[in-house]
Amino acid sequence: MHIAWLGKKSPFCGNVTYSREVTNALLDRGYQVSFLHFAQEAGPLDRNNTAWSMANGKWGASIAQTSFTNSLSPASCNEVSLPCHYKSQIYTIPTLKSRTVLMKSLRRLKPDVVHASLTLSPLDFLLPEICQELNLPLVATFHPPFDRKLRNLTSGTQHLMYQLYAPFLAHYDSTIVFSYIQREILMKLGVPQERVAVIPNGVDATKYSPGPSGLKSELKADRLFVYQGRIAPEKNVEALLKAWKHCNFGPGNVLAIVGDGPLAASLQLSYGEEEGIVWLGFVAEEERRIEILRGADVFILPSLVEGLSLSLLEAMACGLACLATDAGADGEALEEGAGIVLNTQRVRSQLQTLLPLFCDHPEFGMLLGQKARQRAIERYTLSQNITELEKLYSEVLQKQCVPLRGLA
C-alpha cells in the first residue's frame, strides 16, 4: 500500500514527532510512504527548527539548515515540499501555488490513501475537494488541544477551532482523534460518527523505558521532578513554578524545565537555581530526552488545554510518577490509579499539597511509576497505534472500492 502523508517536518512540535514516528513505523512494516510537507525558502536557523534527515531508510531529527526542493528522492522515502509563506509550531500559511503543487504531486505519485496530519492551514479546508477530484481516499489526524468543560478563555478559544474545522472534517473519509472525548465533541458539531476514528497517540515502549541515567549526579539531585514541553501560556508552567517556590524545598530536590517558548525568558528571571529550578532549554536529541526522563522521579504537566500529550506518554513509558491536568485526554490516560489527575482551575494549590508528598514518600512515586508504565504498555504503544491505523486504511479503501496497488 502506498500512503501519501501530508505533515510537518519543522519547527519541532507534537505534530512533527507524530508524523516522524508513524511514518517510520509504516516504513518498517513495508509500506511505501511519500512525505509531503510545507517548506519556506532557507532562512536563519532557529533552535526550535528541527529538520528531518533520511538515514538508513528512516527519518531522524537533527538541527540543521535544510534546503528542500520539489523533486522526489527515489533512493528512499519520496519527499515533496509544498511552498509556504510562513510556518510555526501552531499554524502554517501556504502560498497560492501550494494547491497546484499538491495536485500535481498526487497525480504523479498515485497513492492508495492520502493521510493529512493536519497542520492548521487553509489548505486543510481544500483537501476534501482535491482528493475527491483525484478519486483518492482522505484520512486526517486532528491534533488541536481541548478542554471539553470550557473552564477558561484558552479552552474556549480551542473549542472555536473545533467549530471551524467540523464542517470540513465531515467531508473527510475518516478523521483520527486521540480520545472518545474528542470524538463526542466533533459528533456534536456535526461530523458523522462513522467518519471519526479513535486511535490514541503511541510511544515505542522499548525505546521509552526505565533505565540508567546520570542526570541526578549531573544536577546534584536526590529527588528530581521534570516538566517537558513548550513554555507557553496554555501550558500553565508558571502555576507549577509558583507552587514549587512556595514549597521552599531544601537542597537535593530539583525541578528541571525542559523546553522553550515565548514565556521562557521572562520566567527564568523569576525562578532559578536558588529555588532548585534548572532550565535545560530545548533538547533536540531524543537520546538526551530519554536520559532526562529515566533520571527523573516525577513528571508534571499543568496544561490548561491538551490533546493527548506525547510527552506525558513518554514519561509514563519510562516509569515516572505522573501528575497531569484533566485537560484533553491526559486525565483519561491517568485514570483509575495510573497517575494523579489535577483540576485545571486549581493547579497551583493542588501542587502545593502534592509536591511535598512526593518528596517525603519516594515509595509512593515508585508505585505510581510502575502503574504508569503498565498503563502505557496496555493502551499507548506505537505498535498498537499502527495496527489500528492499518485497519482504518483497509476500511476506507473498501468503502471507496479502490483497488490496492500492492499490500505490504
Side-chain angles (χ1 to χ4, degrees):
M1 186 189 298
H2 180 188
I3 299 106
W5 186 279
L6 177 59
K8 294 182 75 170
K9 286 181 64 177
S10 66
F12 183 81
C13 62
N15 195 325
V16 169
T17 302
Y18 175 83
S19 290
R20 185 182 69 239
E21 294 299 310
V22 174
T23 54
N24 276 340
L26 289 169
L27 288 167
D28 283 343
R29 295 199 183 188
Y31 291 90
Q32 181 183 354
V33 178
S34 297
F35 197 94
L36 300 93
H37 63 94
F38 289 103
Q40 296 170 268
E41 295 297 326
L45 178 63
D46 183 90
R47 68 188 304 179
N48 285 330
N49 193 19
T50 301
W52 294 11
S53 59
M54 175 69 77
N56 299 321
K58 295 184 71 176
W59 294 111
S62 63
I63 295 186
Q65 187 72 28
T66 305
S67 177
F68 299 110
T69 67
N70 286 331
S71 62
L72 299 179
S73 175
S76 56
C77 174
N78 288 330
E79 180 183 328
V80 180
S81 63
L82 305 174
C84 70
H85 293 296
Y86 175 81
K87 60 178 179 175
S88 71
Q89 291 176 315
I90 299 173
Y91 63 91
T92 303
I93 302 176
T95 67
L96 292 176
K97 67 178 182 179
S98 63
R99 183 185 188 278
T100 302
V101 173
L102 177 59
M103 289 277 289
K104 289 181 178 179
S105 299
L106 291 175
R107 282 197 179 100
R108 181 173 64 248
L109 292 168
K110 297 181 172 62
D112 295 297
V113 177
V114 176
H115 188 150
S117 181
L118 295 176
T119 56
L120 302 186
S121 85
L123 195 60
D124 297 343
F125 308 126
L126 301 177
L127 287 175
E129 176 187 325
I130 291 170
C131 288
Q132 185 176 15
E133 182 175 338
L134 298 175
N135 195 30
L136 292 173
L138 175 61
V139 174
T141 301
F142 189 55
H143 295 269
F146 68 99
D147 181 357
R148 64 174 173 172
K149 297 180 182 179
L150 301 180
R151 290 170 287 200
N152 50 63
L153 178 62
T154 303
S155 61
T157 301
Q158 292 297 336
H159 191 69
L160 290 175
M161 184 70 70
Y162 279 71
Q163 292 176 314
L164 173 65
Y165 265 80
F168 298 92
L169 295 179
H171 296 287
Y172 282 63
D173 292 289
S174 187
T175 297
I176 296 169
V177 293
F178 300 139
S179 76
Y180 288 96
I181 301 171
Q182 286 173 286
R183 186 187 189 193
E184 291 173 8
I185 293 173
L186 289 178
M187 286 168 55
K188 288 178 180 177
L189 293 172
V191 182
Q193 178 177 341
E194 65 275 12
R195 290 178 180 256
V196 186
V198 179
I199 303 179
N201 266 336
V203 294
D204 185 336
T206 302
K207 185 166 53 175
Y208 287 89
S209 60
S213 171
L215 189 65
K216 281 186 177 178
S217 297
E218 179 184 327
L219 299 181
K220 298 180 174 58
D222 297 318
R223 301 286 295 158
L224 181 58
F225 297 70
V226 66
Y227 164 84
Q228 182 172 289
R230 293 185 69 239
I231 316 299
E234 69 273 11
K235 296 297 185 179
N236 201 25
V237 180
E238 190 168 12
L240 166 60
L241 297 171
K242 287 180 177 179
W244 181 271
K245 187 172 183 177
H246 178 270
C247 291
N248 194 27
F249 293 120
N253 294 303
V254 174
L255 171 62
I257 305 295
V258 183
D260 204 351
L263 299 183
S266 60
L267 291 176
Q268 287 182 58
L269 294 175
S270 302
Y271 304 93
E273 291 186 7
E274 61 274 15
E275 287 90 21
I277 299 170
V278 177
W279 296 81
L280 298 180
F282 172 69
V283 178
E285 300 81 10
E286 186 177 37
E287 289 184 3
R288 175 60 171 169
R289 295 200 304 272
I290 293 173
E291 182 188 18
I292 290 170
L293 291 175
R294 286 177 171 175
D297 300 294
V298 180
F299 179 87
I300 307 163
L301 190 63
S303 304
L304 297 172
V305 292
E306 276 290 349
L308 176 55
S309 169
L310 271 172
S311 292
L312 172 62
L313 298 183
E314 290 166 356
M316 292 169 66
C318 285
L320 276 70
C322 294
L323 293 75
T325 56
D326 59 349
D330 290 351
E332 187 178 302
L334 297 179
E335 65 186 0
E336 299 174 358
I340 293 182
V341 182
L342 309 171
N343 188 303
T344 58
Q345 291 181 307
R346 301 188 301 277
V347 172
R348 179 181 173 184
S349 61
Q350 291 169 95
L351 288 176
Q352 286 174 187
T353 300
L354 290 167
L355 292 177
L357 177 65
F358 283 95
C359 283
D360 297 337
H361 300 281
E363 69 282 357
F364 178 53
M366 291 177 62
L367 177 62
L368 276 184
Q370 292 169 3
K371 294 189 175 215
R373 167 78 179 168
Q374 182 179 354
R375 173 63 54 78
I377 291 173
E378 289 173 351
R379 295 188 187 178
Y380 300 110
T381 65
L382 182 60
S383 177
Q384 293 169 333
N385 176 294
I386 300 303
T387 298
E388 291 301 313
L389 187 56
E390 288 177 311
K391 292 178 183 176
L392 179 63
Y393 288 158
S394 295
E395 290 170 3
V396 167
L397 286 165
Q398 287 172 6
K399 289 177 183 177
Q400 290 279 325
C401 298
V402 175
L404 294 181
R405 286 177 275 275
L407 274 170

